[in-house]
Amino acid sequence: EIHIREPTEKEVNPHLLPGELLLCEASTVYKYIQEDGSNRGTYGKLVCTNFKIAFLDDSASDDNEPQFKNKIVGENDITLQCVDQIYGVYDEKKKLLTGQLRKYPEKLIIYCKDLRVFQFCLRYTKEEEVKRIVSGIVHHSQTPKLLKRLFLFSYASAAPNNIDGRNQTVMFDTLEDWRDELERTKGTVKYKAVTTNEGYKVSEKLPLYFVVPICISEESILKYEGRGIPIWCWSCHNGAALLKMSAFPKEQDDSTSQMQKAFLDGIYKTISKPPYELLKMDDLSSSLPSLQDIQTAYTRFKQLFLIDNCTDFWATDVKWFSLLESTNWLEIIRRVLKKAIEVAECLERQHTNVLLIEESATDLCCVISSLVQVMMDSYSRTKSGFQSLIQKEWVIGGHGFLDRCNHLHKSEKEEAPVFLLLLNCVWQLVQQYPPAFEFTETYLTVLSDSLYVPIFSTFFFNSQHQKDTNTSGESLKTQSGPFRFLTVWDWSVQFDPKAQAFLNNPLYAEKPRPDKSQRKSTRFKHQRQLSLPLTQTKSSTKRGFFREETDHLIKNILGKRIGKLINSSDEPPNSFREFYDSWHSKPVDYHGLLLPRINGPDIKVWAQRYLRWIPEAQLHGGGTIATAAKILDLMEQVQSLQVKMDEEHSQAISGDVHSVPMLRKSPRLSSLFPFALLQRQSVKPALPTSTWKDLEDEDDLVKRDDEFVDLSGDMS
Amino acid sequence: TLKDGTNWEQNEEIPRLPGETRVTDKDVIYMCPFNGPVKGRVYITNYRLYLRSVENDPVVVLNVPLGVISRIEKMGGASSRGENSYGLDITCKDMRNLRFALKQEGHSRRDIFEVLTKYAFPQSHNSLFFAFLNEEKFSENGWMVYNPMSEYRRQGLPNERWRVTFINEHYGLCDTYPSLLVVPYNATDDDLKKVAAFRSRNRIPVLSWIHPETQAVIMRCSQPLVGMSGKRNKDDERYLDIIREANGQISKLTIYDARPNVNAVANKATGGGYEGEDAYPNAELFFLDIHNIHVMRESLKKLKDIVYPNVEESHWLSSLESTHWLEHIKLVLTGAIQVADKVSSGRSSVLVHCSDGWDRTAQLTSLAMLMLDSYYRTIEGFEVLVQKEWISFGHKFASRIGHGDKNHADADRSPIFLQFIDCVWQMSKQFPTAFEFNEQFLITILDHLYSCRFGTFLYNSESLREKEKVTEKTLSLWSLINSEKSKYTNPFYTKELNRALYPVASMRHLELWVNYYIRWNPRIRQQQPNPVEQRYMELLALRDDYMRRLEELQITNNSKISNSSASSASPSQMMSQVQTHF
């Protein structure tokens, strides 16, 4: 029998957030260190609160603070929303734990949505405690929940009234935000922000304020609860706009569908007249994979990274590429990127408005419109610009985060990683064009992690309406003034300034700014047009309009202005290829249009997000972090030289040139940095344990010797 | 005497090396797989095939050393009707094919075919490689890079346990080994001769590398001649024991047989085999499962099929997997990691062999040395490593590459050295600050592996190279590289001494070397220069500029203090330019 160690004297208590309640706990839990399949680990206490599951290491010392630490979710914390699946191990057999349990397992494996895997041995824990903790964890993380029971609400009512610091993110919850965005993109001539939905009298799915073509009447918006109405997303520098529309559901009744058709024809006619550009429609539900396909693909894909031990790692390594391909996830990313390029081509080269159509216009519409803006509008590649984009298209735009992430465990049918799909696509761009983005891949990774941290309202509502109604409800009274949720964009909640530095890209080639003194700090967020690609100047507007008009006339005469649904396939197929090839044959302007490369070898696995917890995949002193660290070191040197020069200028006191700080001896970083919590301490190389599979088809070659020479002299 | 009335003088912008002479030129249509047919003129010299398009927008240029040509085929016949269906199809060793359409009239195709065949395959025509005609001058002499004696001295050899022997000075012991060998101090030259009789092609176990701390060594050799009857050789057994004892620390000598177990067994039928447990009780034998040269050749052929001319679109990953190319890379790296780890943390001497000890063995010893000895990660060190483990120890470059040989289907050809360079690239990709050289360095080595412009990779062994007087009559590739080192230097290189560098031989990290294998495809080409590298260079320049200015400033300030007169230089101007983003 293994000696059971008593819990240590010192009582370890969980760190609780305001509003967080300890629900159950178990001591003498043994947590395996996921390293080499050996049963090494540490004893500690496993607790479950209304916010998280946490393992409190008995022997933990505080002196080893990691450089990059999340203040809300610790190394051994799993928020209830972050739990993906829980398995119990009974006599070496894994069984999925979902609801009521009859028998309690000797080992608990928790797979997390951020790809961590925790293994807890309960053999040394008192039976009563095992029962309580296992059923507690399963109940609180795996069973349906009421919205109001989300930790978000307990936290918001208990936490001191946080007024997020000066945040440059545009929230798009006011009319002014929309007007500013219109102005920034020079869309004001043809589009207007409307207040029709105040009081949600049009639809609970639509935001309070949104933008439509000027010619659209309030009546038409109200007629079908906003369906069939082109809603503006963004205007390109040449005036062409990206629009989205919520489609009519398939109607059985003939007269209804006739009426809807007439209504749509009216709308199309209206927005096809000058000054509007030609219109091209794209029904995303038919041109992109379905949400079900996306969910299936991601479920398979993530499974490849939820690895129990190193045997698993090497066993899957042999067939890695075909396993990856069979998930279809990378192919979906490729198709989405391709679609975004097609849309960009219409806007940029054909000066055509593009109308994205989807049943609710809140899923794939969000992905495509966001991607197009990231590719075409360099403002969306800054941190605040990207955050504003997520607010505009997703949070206010009405993406159903609550349902798509299945935060309440209500229905698995609704679950689909649509937002993760966007982040995965943006990551492809980030790794293909590092200098074009103000943020790093680490930023995208922690953003994806934040999907499961229920202290921010950002990703925990289906719509602005849902958030509003749940904020003003009577049951929500706080001790200290008005009720307020945190936004994820206030990164200081999760990270201290030192850790936040990892979110900023040192390679970002900032656009040269005009003289700072001309900017008024109060108007800061309205100055964003400065980062837009250079537009044709206003002086030529008139001629431009005239030209556009004749253009329209000619195309009108030619007919087929808007047929039925014109898919991009109507376009000569070369048009896309030509656009793509000609762009790629030129040098990249990091502040201009950015097209992702989408050939097979170009689409990669987001290694940081998916491999970060796997010790076998770690490179000591290697990976991209090795060069990034060198750049940071050099920047520090340049910075201190700047300081030194300042001093020289102001004081005219001679210093010693040779005291300039030389390359600080930075410790060898792991490629898993900054997520290197599970760092392998040993310097032993990782050796594949899997066996070589047969080369069936080349059997005759395999058996041959390099060069046939009979060496057995005595046989000749 | 100019053929076809060509006026070469008017085309002086066509690059020519000293010693390169023009042969012919022709109007052709280059069937570019990416841009469609391109009208152009092709110029052939005794070194290269050069094509320039007639149209200038875009200007299409081909610059192909004739050495890369593997095969020239005629396509279409006199009766060919289709447009551009009559001409030549040239298969290259560097992952591309070139197609030229020619006019059916006259003898233009016959002429060009004959000229190309003659100059691309000099070995088959009893003529000289271009390397022997090359009259280039370089500021560095690459033949001086490798001196075996100084390399062994660098390793601390000879010492009281290891000695240098000249027994092979005239290649009498082994004609595929170098003349200078390092062997155990306690083995006499007579012992060596006896051991040679029991090793395939007399390639006896000799020292490649010694660990500076553990004194464990990496030895290389060929398979023992065990045969079906399971022959034993007391001298060989004793010799291996002497090697084991030389480091004096561990009970067993580790033998890595690079082959799959079954192949090693099968080799007994032809007289070869492996060290059996009975005969070598003090040795531990492991098979590393690396396949033979034929498997590797087929694998590369499959790889070419999926990347040239078009890259497989929708099923890229499974197509890549079906070539097995990266799996082979994984196995070679895995083997090398095992060798290195055994010597380093296992503190045990190892013996590496395959069948003959010039293909897989060279891959394993050189990669293990690269992992263990940071000197080999410098430009010069890597040149020494290639010169030592590959060139001097008789990797059969002539046979594996088929230099100047028209027999394109020769079963001796195999991309073993390419595979090694690919492994090095994988390591440099995983550890971007650990190597002094950059990707361009590796690509340049591969380009001249085929070009025949330098003598470096010509012939199969040191003895043959000596006979052909290669070092006297040709130039070394290292002359070219060392004369413009900055072009091949990795700006991120951070010198680290005595650090073992173990790559992760997992498919999760191994990548296809797109910049080499798919470099001809304009749609795949990566951004050049690499933006991260560019940014770093900018910062370096900025830092140096600051240091210079600061120094100037301090001098001015010093004089200012003495003069106490303020000058209004432009510090603010200067500062406004340096608003770098942090």
Side-chain angles (χ1 to χ4, degrees):
Chain A
E1 251 311 290
I2 300 164
H3 167 70
I4 300 171
R5 219 176 59 183
E6 290 300 314
T8 42
E9 296 298 304
K10 109 178 147 171
E11 194 58 33
V12 208
N13 285 315
H15 168 74
L16 297 179
L17 294 172
E20 188 175 2
L21 299 168
L22 185 64
L23 300 172
C24 48
E25 59 181 309
S27 34
T28 345
V29 172
Y30 188 76
K31 175 180 164 267
Y32 294 107
I33 294 172
Q34 186 198 30
E35 186 175 310
D36 43 12
S38 76
N39 288 337
R40 293 203 295 124
T42 52
Y43 285 96
K45 199 198 268 179
L46 190 59
V47 305
C48 179
T49 74
N50 57 344
F51 171 60
K52 64 178 181 247
I53 298 158
F55 176 78
L56 311 165
D57 196 332
D58 288 344
S59 52
S61 56
D62 305 325
D63 48 295
N64 210 354
E65 278 279 283
Q67 256 183 295
F68 187 75
K69 193 186 142 220
N70 191 311
K71 296 197 280 185
I72 303 295
V73 187
E75 179 185 357
N76 288 320
D77 296 344
I78 312 158
T79 66
L80 297 176
Q81 280 67 37
C82 189
V83 175
D84 189 16
Q85 288 184 313
I86 302 176
Y87 277 85
V89 179
Y90 302 85
D91 303 323
E92 309 279 299
K93 272 184 204 137
K94 272 166 72 175
K95 198 176 154 250
L96 185 67
L97 306 182
T98 46
Q100 287 289 314
L101 304 174
R102 289 213 196 98
K103 214 178 136 205
Y104 292 90
E106 59 234 38
K107 201 169 142 190
L108 201 60
I109 307 178
I110 303 181
Y111 297 101
C112 302
K113 291 188 174 166
D114 62 4
L115 289 318
R116 286 179 298 170
V117 178
F118 287 90
Q119 305 196 30
F120 298 111
C121 174
L122 305 169
R123 205 175 295 162
Y124 317 117
T125 315
K126 291 194 194 96
E127 204 185 319
E128 266 315 293
E129 290 186 353
V130 172
K131 279 185 186 170
R132 249 182 287 136
I133 195 74
V134 175
S135 46
I137 287 175
V138 172
H139 174 77
H140 293 292
S141 69
Q142 300 291 287
T143 57
K145 217 178 217 170
L146 289 172
L147 175 62
K148 285 284 174 65
R149 299 297 297 271
L150 272 179
F151 181 67
L152 181 68
F153 293 94
S154 336
Y155 183 79
S157 47
N161 193 356
N162 286 297
I163 293 158
D164 43 20
R166 224 179 309 157
N167 199 328
Q168 290 170 24
T169 306
V170 185
M171 303 305 276
F172 288 95
D173 51 0
T174 65
L175 192 60
E176 215 207 349
D177 285 346
W178 286 100
R179 286 187 174 149
D180 290 345
E181 179 72 355
L182 264 178
E183 204 174 296
R184 181 181 78 87
T185 59
K186 301 188 172 63
T188 33
V189 188
K190 301 169 209 165
Y191 300 91
K192 62 177 179 191
V194 292
T195 57
T196 324
N197 202 28
E198 274 179 344
Y200 298 101
K201 59 179 188 278
V202 179
S203 163
E204 293 179 355
K205 286 177 180 162
L206 284 171
L208 219 40
Y209 308 103
F210 52 89
V211 174
V212 293
I214 277 179
C215 56
I216 299 284
S217 69
E218 192 159 320
E219 287 157 355
S220 2
I221 298 175
L222 283 160
K223 187 158 187 190
Y224 291 105
E225 299 180 333
R227 283 184 190 273
I229 298 297
I231 293 176
W232 178 88
C233 298
W234 180 74
S235 284
C236 180
H237 62 88
N238 59 19
L242 182 59
L243 307 161
K244 63 182 170 188
M245 177 196 277
S246 170
F248 288 104
K250 286 259 181 303
E251 195 62 61
Q252 294 301 315
D253 180 32
D254 218 34
S255 67
T256 317
S257 76
Q258 281 300 319
M259 272 164 64
Q260 288 171 350
K261 195 177 167 292
F263 176 77
L264 278 180
D265 284 346
I267 295 283
Y268 294 150
K269 210 168 275 170
T270 319
I271 61 164
S272 304
K273 279 188 212 133
Y276 298 103
E277 288 73 11
L278 279 171
L279 185 70
K280 185 138 150 196
M281 284 171 263
D282 198 322
D283 186 357
L284 297 181
S285 56
S286 64
S287 65
L288 283 178
S290 69
L291 295 189
Q292 188 53 50
D293 293 341
I294 293 167
Q295 168 68 3
T296 309
Y298 185 70
T299 306
R300 288 201 207 118
F301 180 75
K302 79 174 179 211
Q303 220 56 48
L304 297 181
F305 303 92
L306 293 168
I307 286 167
D308 287 345
N309 51 47
C310 93
T311 319
D312 265 17
F313 179 87
W314 292 114
T316 50
D317 204 55
V318 185
K319 280 262 178 195
W320 182 245
F321 291 133
S322 46
L323 282 171
L324 264 185
E325 189 175 283
S326 69
T327 70
N328 209 33
W329 178 246
L330 295 181
E331 177 61 17
I332 288 175
I333 289 173
R334 209 174 74 87
R335 282 181 63 187
V336 167
L337 288 170
K338 189 167 181 208
K339 173 60 71 188
I341 299 172
E342 283 168 17
V343 173
E345 194 250 349
C346 291
L347 292 167
E348 174 81 25
R349 209 175 59 154
Q350 302 182 25
H351 298 213
T352 307
N353 284 343
V354 178
L355 178 61
L356 306 173
I357 301 170
E358 196 185 11
E359 161 97 42
S360 66
T362 54
D363 289 302
L364 294 170
C365 271
C366 301
V367 177
I368 298 298
S369 71
S370 307
L371 261 182
V372 168
Q373 291 174 63
V374 167
M375 283 157 47
M376 300 186 74
D377 185 346
S378 65
Y379 167 62
S380 301
R381 291 175 230 146
T382 64
K383 215 158 87 184
S384 57
F386 185 70
Q387 295 177 170
S388 305
L389 178 70
I390 302 300
Q391 279 295 132
K392 179 170 79 165
E393 299 296 336
W394 296 78
V395 181
I396 297 300
H399 174 68
F401 281 106
L402 205 53
D403 292 342
R404 293 290 174 251
C405 299
N406 201 13
H407 283 320
L408 302 178
H409 283 274
K410 277 215 171 119
S411 160
E412 285 189 2
K413 265 187 257 159
E414 291 293 312
E415 193 172 340
V418 187
F419 186 63
L420 269 181
L421 178 61
L422 172 79
L423 296 185
N424 273 273
C425 291
V426 173
W427 179 85
Q428 302 290 338
L429 277 156
V430 166
Q431 62 99 22
Q432 290 181 12
Y433 305 102
F437 291 83
E438 192 188 27
F439 47 86
T440 55
E441 64 164 339
T442 306
Y443 170 85
L444 294 174
T445 303
V446 298
L447 182 56
S448 75
D449 291 344
S450 305
L451 271 176
Y452 317 111
V453 183
I455 64 167
F456 309 109
S457 63
T458 315
F459 303 129
F460 284 87
F461 289 107
N462 280 331
S463 62
Q464 193 182 9
H465 169 262
Q466 192 185 31
K467 184 185 166 193
D468 282 359
T469 48
N470 282 292
T471 318
S472 52
E474 268 181 50
S475 58
L476 298 161
K477 296 233 170 69
T478 59
Q479 293 102 339
S480 51
F483 192 79
R484 228 187 125 90
F485 294 119
L486 291 180
T487 157
V488 72
W489 313 125
D490 186 357
W491 290 104
S492 67
V493 175
Q494 294 190 76
F495 303 101
D496 60 25
K498 227 174 117 193
Q500 279 185 62
F502 290 103
L503 312 182
N504 300 327
N505 178 12
L507 295 172
Y508 179 52
E510 209 171 0
K511 195 163 191 180
R513 287 186 214 155
D515 197 337
K516 266 188 178 171
S517 59
Q518 285 177 7
R519 305 171 80 182
K520 285 184 199 144
S521 53
T522 47
R523 291 273 302 162
F524 184 75
K525 75 179 184 184
H526 307 301
Q527 294 280 331
R528 276 166 289 137
Q529 59 264 37
L530 296 173
S531 59
L532 260 187
L534 283 177
T535 56
Q536 284 133 1
T537 48
K538 275 192 173 163
S539 60
S540 63
T541 321
K542 266 201 170 156
R543 226 178 37 197
F545 263 113
F546 179 70
R547 204 195 56 226
E548 275 166 38
E549 218 158 334
T550 43
D551 222 41
H552 278 284
L553 282 170
I554 291 164
K555 291 203 174 129
N556 252 331
I557 292 160
L558 290 172
K560 283 189 181 168
R561 250 182 88 46
I562 35 155
K564 279 287 100 188
L565 296 179
I566 308 170
N567 267 327
S568 46
S569 53
D570 288 7
E571 203 54 43
N574 284 339
S575 155
F576 167 82
R577 195 81 243 190
E578 206 183 286
F579 177 64
Y580 181 84
D581 284 348
S582 95
W583 187 85
H584 282 284
S585 67
K586 290 179 201 122
V588 183
D589 171 10
Y590 293 116
H591 299 290
L593 176 69
L594 218 57
L595 297 186
R597 289 186 301 264
I598 54 163
N599 291 289
D602 296 322
I603 306 296
K604 299 200 168 133
V605 172
W606 182 0
Q608 188 190 54
R609 178 167 202 271
Y610 297 104
L611 293 175
R612 62 188 152 151
W613 313 115
I614 303 173
E616 284 77 16
Q618 155 166 242
L619 303 161
H620 281 279
T624 47
I625 191 70
T627 44
K630 290 217 70 164
I631 285 180
L632 285 171
D633 276 351
L634 193 53
M635 281 182 144
E636 255 172 54
Q637 286 181 59
V638 170
Q639 228 171 4
S640 70
L641 278 164
Q642 267 176 330
V643 171
K644 241 184 146 68
M645 274 204 301
D646 273 346
E647 283 169 5
E648 285 294 331
H649 279 293
S650 53
Q651 298 170 11
I653 292 169
S654 171
D656 184 8
V657 185
H658 304 289
S659 70
V660 163
M662 279 300 119
L663 252 182
R664 131 178 85 85
K665 259 279 167 261
S666 52
R668 207 171 288 149
L669 296 171
S670 150
S671 62
L672 304 185
F673 187 84
F675 299 98
L677 300 172
L678 293 165
Q679 213 175 124
R680 282 155 46 106
Q681 293 306 314
S682 64
V683 287
K684 284 287 279 182
L687 277 176
T689 54
S690 56
T691 47
W692 170 254
K693 65 178 169 5
D694 289 332
L695 293 165
E696 310 88 0
D697 47 333
E698 289 164 12
D699 232 7
D700 53 325
L701 283 181
V702 172
K703 285 182 193 147
R704 277 166 74 179
D705 198 18
D706 281 351
E707 285 138 277
F708 183 81
V709 175
D710 204 326
L711 300 160
S712 46
D714 53 356
M715 287 173 79
S716 54
Chain B
T1 56
L2 303 178
K3 284 185 179 177
D4 303 340
T6 316
N7 193 344
W8 283 72
E9 276 66 37
Q10 280 175 9
N11 292 296
E12 268 316 305
E13 61 269 54
I14 289 160
R16 251 201 291 164
L17 299 171
E20 184 176 353
T21 54
R22 57 216 180 199
V23 181
T24 186
D25 61 66
K26 281 273 179 337
D27 279 331
V28 297
I29 291 167
Y30 165 49
M31 307 298 286
C32 176
F34 313 110
N35 301 318
V38 177
K39 262 190 169 173
R41 195 159 182 86
V42 69
Y43 304 84
I44 295 165
T45 72
N46 56 350
Y47 173 64
R48 79 182 92 208
L49 179 157
Y50 189 89
L51 172 127
R52 203 179 35 232
S53 58
V54 176
E55 302 282 324
N56 278 326
D57 189 32
V59 59
V60 176
V61 167
L62 283 178
N63 188 354
V64 188
L66 299 178
V68 310
I69 294 175
S70 157
R71 180 182 194 183
I72 308 165
E73 283 170 286
K74 291 174 182 164
M75 56 172 192
S79 57
S80 288
R81 285 284 165 266
E83 203 187 348
N84 298 332
S85 61
Y86 180 86
L88 291 175
D89 190 5
I90 299 172
T91 309
C92 297
K93 297 169 182 175
D94 61 357
M95 307 292 285
R96 59 178 159 168
N97 277 44
L98 305 171
R99 253 169 186 250
F100 298 107
L102 292 152
K103 286 194 204 92
Q104 269 159 299
E105 307 87 57
H107 298 292
S108 62
R109 183 170 79 174
R110 197 190 63 198
D111 290 351
I112 206 166
F113 180 82
E114 279 169 7
V115 165
L116 277 177
T117 306
K118 181 177 167 202
Y119 289 95
F121 308 127
Q123 283 299 88
S124 307
H125 291 84
N126 284 322
S127 53
L128 290 172
F129 289 115
F130 177 74
F132 289 90
L133 308 166
N134 189 357
E135 292 164 13
E136 285 178 272
K137 298 272 180 289
F138 294 104
S139 56
E140 299 286 325
N141 181 358
W143 294 126
M144 306 296 281
V145 165
Y146 178 60
N147 175 313
M149 202 59 213
S150 22
E151 164 56 15
Y152 288 118
R153 277 210 199 96
R154 188 191 66 85
Q155 295 187 26
L157 298 167
N159 61 20
E160 65 280 7
R161 292 172 189 276
W162 298 94
R163 68 185 180 94
V164 169
T165 173
F166 294 95
I167 184 176
N168 203 34
E169 196 174 0
H170 303 292
Y171 309 104
L173 178 77
C174 171
D175 61 354
T176 57
Y177 261 6
S179 57
L180 193 151
L181 300 168
V182 174
V183 294
Y185 191 86
N186 291 334
T188 65
D189 281 1
D190 228 35
D191 293 337
L192 300 180
K193 281 180 193 151
K194 288 178 192 155
V195 173
F198 192 62
R199 290 281 163 179
S200 171
R201 303 176 203 266
N202 302 338
R203 293 172 68 94
I204 60 164
V206 295
L207 181 143
S208 274
W209 190 77
I210 183 163
H211 195 288
E213 282 149 34
T214 68
Q215 296 291 304
V217 297
I218 298 177
M219 306 287 293
R220 62 180 294 171
C221 61
S222 61
Q223 63 182 339
L225 299 177
V226 175
M228 289 303 267
S229 53
K231 268 187 297 181
R232 291 179 58 164
N233 181 302
K234 283 283 161 216
D235 299 297
D236 192 74
E237 290 163 23
R238 201 170 63 89
Y239 184 65
L240 260 55
D241 229 33
I242 293 171
I243 293 168
R244 180 182 64 83
E245 283 163 0
N247 119 26
Q249 302 183 49
I250 207 86
S251 55
K252 287 204 175 183
L253 175 73
T254 311
I255 302 172
Y256 287 109
D257 188 327
R259 301 166 292 184
N261 193 344
V262 279
N263 294 57
V265 173
N267 257 291
K268 288 186 177 179
T270 51
Y274 55 91
E275 293 83 356
E277 237 176 289
D278 298 342
Y280 301 86
N282 290 329
E284 251 183 321
L285 181 80
F286 298 97
F287 294 103
L288 295 178
D289 297 329
I290 301 169
H291 281 282
N292 64 36
I293 62 167
H294 313 293
V295 173
M296 302 309 180
R297 184 179 56 239
E298 282 311 301
S299 177
L300 184 67
K301 210 161 125 194
K302 284 183 183 165
L303 182 63
K304 185 174 174 182
D305 286 344
I306 68 159
V307 299
Y308 191 89
N310 294 311
V311 175
E312 186 68 43
E313 274 254 320
S314 50
H315 296 286
W316 166 250
L317 288 171
S318 54
S319 314
L320 181 61
E321 186 172 276
S322 70
T323 69
H324 299 295
W325 183 254
L326 288 177
E327 279 171 83
H328 295 307
I329 297 280
K330 171 179 163 169
L331 275 173
V332 172
L333 280 172
T334 304
I337 294 168
Q338 279 173 270
V339 171
D341 185 47
K342 189 58 108 183
V343 172
S344 178
S345 45
R347 312 176 82 84
S348 162
S349 288
V350 301
L351 181 70
V352 183
H353 70 71
C354 45
S355 298
D356 291 307
W358 51 45
D359 293 310
R360 289 168 272 201
T361 301
Q363 289 179 333
L364 290 168
T365 57
S366 56
L367 285 170
M369 287 156 77
L370 197 64
M371 289 171 197
L372 293 170
D373 192 337
S374 57
Y375 168 69
Y376 299 125
R377 295 174 220 143
T378 64
I379 288 178
E380 197 197 282
F382 191 77
E383 292 167 358
V384 166
L385 184 69
V386 169
Q387 206 67 53
K388 178 179 185 301
E389 288 303 296
W390 291 85
I391 297 170
S392 85
F393 272 98
H395 172 68
K396 304 208 302 177
F397 281 103
S399 309
R400 295 291 174 258
I401 306 303
H403 288 135
D405 178 13
K406 66 174 183 197
N407 187 8
H408 63 88
D410 191 342
D412 269 357
R413 293 196 187 177
S414 186
I416 301 301
F417 187 72
L418 166 65
Q419 204 172 41
F420 159 70
I421 295 289
D422 193 332
C423 289
V424 176
W425 179 82
Q426 302 285 351
M427 284 180 70
S428 71
K429 181 93 185 150
Q430 292 190 10
F431 299 99
T433 62
F435 294 85
E436 191 193 9
F437 48 83
N438 58 16
E439 185 178 57
Q440 193 51 45
F441 176 76
L442 297 177
I443 292 177
T444 304
I445 290 176
L446 290 177
D447 282 344
H448 294 295
L449 172 65
Y450 309 119
S451 77
C452 300
R453 176 171 154 193
F454 301 100
T456 305
F457 296 116
L458 296 181
Y459 305 108
N460 279 336
S461 65
E462 193 177 285
S463 62
L464 283 171
R465 253 168 247 125
E466 215 160 273
K467 206 178 116 211
E468 301 292 339
K469 299 191 168 61
V470 167
T471 52
E472 292 159 53
K473 294 182 173 172
T474 74
L475 292 164
S476 161
L477 166 60
W478 317 128
S479 303
L480 170 87
I481 285 174
N482 295 353
S483 299
E484 32 178 357
K485 253 188 178 165
S486 63
K487 200 172 151 189
Y488 305 101
T489 305
N490 168 18
F492 291 109
Y493 175 57
T494 313
K495 197 170 180 171
E496 276 190 284
L497 294 170
N498 304 326
R499 178 189 164 206
L501 200 69
Y502 297 121
V504 174
S506 156
M507 288 303 179
R508 277 122 169 136
H509 281 303
L510 299 182
E511 272 180 59
L512 184 72
W513 186 6
V514 167
N515 278 359
Y516 181 73
Y517 298 107
I518 323 188
R519 64 178 157 156
W520 308 121
N521 189 330
R523 278 175 199 148
I524 302 287
R525 202 162 18 193
Q526 302 222 333
Q527 295 169 60
Q528 294 292 353
N530 167 336
V532 182
E533 197 174 307
Q534 205 175 18
R535 176 78 173 139
Y536 190 70
M537 300 297 274
E538 281 167 19
L539 280 170
L540 275 178
L542 194 64
R543 183 195 63 183
D544 294 347
D545 187 45
Y546 278 12
M547 304 243 284
R548 189 180 50 76
R549 284 171 189 229
L550 194 58
E551 210 161 343
E552 281 171 12
L553 213 56
Q554 281 163 338
I555 294 164
T556 334
N557 282 345
N558 282 339
S559 59
K560 250 189 272 175
I561 291 164
S562 46
N563 296 347
S564 74
S565 70
S567 83
S568 62
S570 51
S572 57
Q573 267 178 310
M574 186 171 70
M575 292 311 287
S576 67
Q577 288 166 7
V578 294
Q579 295 295 338
T580 37
H581 172 82
F582 291 98

